[in-house]
Amino acid sequence: MVNEKSKELGSNPSVIRDLFEYGKKRKQEIGENKVFDFSIGNPSVPPPKSVTNALINLLQTADPTTLHGYTSAVGDKTTREAISQYLNKTYQANTNSDLIYLTAGAAASLTITLNAILNKDEEVIVFAPFFPEYSVFIEKAGGVVKIVNPIEPTFTPNFEEFEKVITKKTKAVILNSPNNPTGVMLKEEDIKILCAILDKKQKEFNSTIYLISDEPYRELIYNEEEYPFITNHYKESIVCYSFSKSVSLPGERIGYILVNPQALNAKEVFYAICGAGRALGFVCAPALFQYLIPHCLGKTSDLSVYKKNRDLLYSALTEYGYEVVSPDGAFYLFVKALEEDAIAFSEAAKQFELLLVPSNSFGFNGYVRISYCVPTKQIKSSLPAFKKLIEHYKNKGEK
Ligand code: PLP
């Protein structure tokens, strides 16, 4: 008999991937440009030129046995130092390269971190709507998912609810801002409130509650603001970072975990991370891309494309009559479904060749997610379909 939980996970692939696969098939049937696939967060903007050039240069000049060889399990020391220096300079943070673990992207960072800190049946709080894999990672690590619903229509955390959900079994909270799927970015005041609640509850229960900041979208912000650096606000914090979205390298699987040196048992937490990485087989992240990291720090792909896409789509959809959550960052729009059941709405959208992810997979009902990291021409050519979709619902209502 195989492991039941793993079998269940494998036989029910993610709704996002399902829709993406449907889109590929549909494109073969009716043509590439006739399907408006907004399912997956795969950046359409190439990595910065300087990053590509640095990669070529590494391949042409570095010793190939080093470049493609094993690094130490935690990752290359020079790269970890470069990350630490960059963060300290950029955010006036106080990070330490000895507490940085290089990983195969944010997914690996999260699953390693959760396996490192969780004992059986300990609780992890997530704010809905949330990245669907959180439940998978938490439950596979033996934890229990606790969901806090947002305040609508701003989709900011409901701090009153949050405070009530924290118990002595709470081991961690996962925060993702700018957010997938809403695009909402928390303000510094929000972070301060959240951290004050956690400090208060740690004292009340005489416990340690880790704040895991999942940050693949840290740099994807379209106003003048900067997202606060979490270790400056809360001692028991762990950052899970990825280069997948900031410099468009999702397939290369590269990122890191950072433990706040000010955490009470920072060294112990880091050892647990090394142990979880070892047990999960996530040692020595892809070496070539470890060596590329110093050339990626502080760089982003051309964000003006995403900004343009967001503005085009947001203004067109609101003009047509859709209710859209106001997005500050990441590359997703969260749109209210035109009927109660978001899955039925997503199915109806398929008639117009629009592939929209129903929000149920994000632990929240009644919305769909539009991933707008697609070529701008796809946004432009999809607008008539969005218009037809809302007209279809208006006509249905009038009948
Ligand atoms: N966390 C969030 C919120 C995401 O949206 C994603 C990917 O879309 C991940 C984690 C996983 O990122 P990675 O590709 O770096 O594993």
Side-chain angles (χ1 to χ4, degrees), residues 369-382:
R369 184 193 77 172
I370 299 177
S371 184
Y372 62 76
C373 54
V374 296
T376 306
K377 68 175 189 310
Q378 179 180 323
I379 306 270
K380 286 185 180 158
S381 54
S382 71

Side-chain angles (χ1 to χ4, degrees), residues 104-108 110 131 134 176 180 214 216-217 242 244-245 250 253 332:
L110 287 162
F131 181 54
Y134 289 169
N176 166 228
N180 174 10
D214 177 25
Y217 305 99
S242 162
S244 292
K245 318 287 175 166
R253 317 306 300 133
Y332 307 104

Side-chain angles (χ1 to χ4, degrees), residues 90-111:
T90 312
Y91 302 109
Q92 292 74 51
N94 178 24
T95 67
N96 175 345
S97 62
D98 289 338
L99 297 175
I100 292 176
Y101 187 102
L102 303 186
T103 64
S109 301
L110 287 162
T111 195

